[in-house]
Amino acid sequence: MDVESNQRESEKMVREISPLLKFALELGPLLIFFFANSKGEWLATTFPVLTEFGGPIFIATGLFMIATIVALTVSWILTRTLPMMPLISGIVVLVFGALTLYLQNDTFIKMKPTIVNTLFGVILLGGLLFGQSLLGYVFNSAFKLNDEGWRKLTFRWGFFFLFLAVLNEVVWRGFSTDTWVAFKVWGTMPITIIFTMAQMPLIMRHSTEPLTKDKK
């Protein structure tokens, strides 16, 4: 009873934030990355201290790291928790961003999406091999599905993450840095949103409760 009571109290401490604010916290650092890369020379002229980072892509990387820390901090202050996927992604951003700046080699920051997406894909698909639908631990607060639904959704997201990893490799290796930065913001995000919306029929079929409830 004491354990269950503690769990309920912990759940009450986790605060909800609006989907729009959550989306802004996730997209904000990417928009700053895109802006800083496209306006790198202007930023260096206006704020000479930024030249310590290097050229435009390195200025963008430095500001991306700062924006990521700010977004995670704000998320923690508002919700008293850090979602696992943004946390892992943020850690990789800081590690690979630091390598990018220290070695002045943008290959590291370009490989970051590949590493993160491959990691997520392997974890999700690997969990299925051991009978665990790990996606349920990520999305369980958003909706409730039966076991079959979680297995199918985990399988789809696992392969989708691997698809994003391959796509990132194709873009950064085959196109210019500016094209890769633009695609990272204006390509990957819409693709992810479209994929997410495409899963709604599956979610509705396997939902164990209404997706929306009237709370009084």
Side-chain angles (χ1 to χ4, degrees), residues 36 39-52 54-56 59:
K39 300 294 183 180
E41 294 183 2
W42 175 80
L43 286 171
T45 301
T46 307
F47 306 100
V49 67
L50 294 179
T51 57
E52 295 294 326
I59 291 176

Side-chain angles (χ1 to χ4, degrees), residues 6-199:
N6 290 335
Q7 288 178 338
R8 285 195 293 269
E9 288 300 320
S10 297
E11 290 176 357
K12 290 180 181 179
M13 293 177 62
V14 178
R15 307 167 189 168
E16 293 293 330
I17 60 176
S18 69
L20 185 60
L21 178 56
K22 183 178 180 181
F23 182 71
L25 289 174
E26 294 177 357
L27 185 60
L30 286 176
L31 291 177
I32 290 175
F33 184 63
F34 173 78
F35 174 80
N37 180 72
S38 61
K39 300 294 183 180
E41 294 183 2
W42 175 80
L43 286 171
T45 301
T46 307
F47 306 100
V49 67
L50 294 179
T51 57
E52 295 294 326
F53 287 133
I57 186 62
F58 301 109
I59 291 176
T61 299
L63 294 182
F64 185 35
M65 294 168 65
I66 294 172
T68 297
I69 294 174
V70 170
L72 289 174
T73 301
V74 171
S75 180
W76 168 256
I77 292 173
L78 294 177
T79 66
R80 294 303 177 186
T81 186
L82 288 176
M84 185 59 65
M85 294 173 69
L87 177 60
I88 294 175
S89 180
I91 292 173
V92 176
V93 166
L94 296 180
V95 172
F96 279 72
L99 289 172
T100 296
L101 296 179
Y102 181 73
L103 299 176
Q104 288 291 288
N105 186 337
D106 60 13
T107 298
F108 293 100
I109 198 63
K110 290 178 178 178
M111 289 182 63
K112 173 262 174 186
T114 301
I115 300 298
V116 170
N117 288 317
T118 299
L119 180 63
F120 288 154
V122 169
I123 289 175
L124 291 180
L125 296 177
L128 287 177
L129 293 177
F130 293 94
Q132 297 292 321
S133 301
L134 299 179
L135 198 66
Y137 294 100
V138 179
F139 289 146
N140 190 52
S141 62
F143 40 77
K144 308 291 184 181
L145 303 181
N146 56 32
D147 290 341
E148 182 183 359
W150 281 124
R151 284 195 299 271
K152 289 181 178 179
L153 194 62
T154 299
F155 181 80
R156 292 184 182 185
W157 272 100
F159 274 100
F160 179 67
F161 280 125
L162 295 181
F163 164 75
L164 289 180
V166 173
L167 186 60
N168 182 70
E169 285 295 294
V170 171
V171 175
W172 86 260
R173 292 180 184 276
F175 299 90
S176 67
T177 296
D178 288 344
T179 299
W180 172 77
V181 172
F183 181 80
K184 180 176 172 63
V185 179
W186 309 115
T188 302
M189 185 62 68
I191 290 173
T192 302
I193 292 175
I194 292 172
F195 174 80
T196 302
M197 296 304 296
Q199 307 315 305

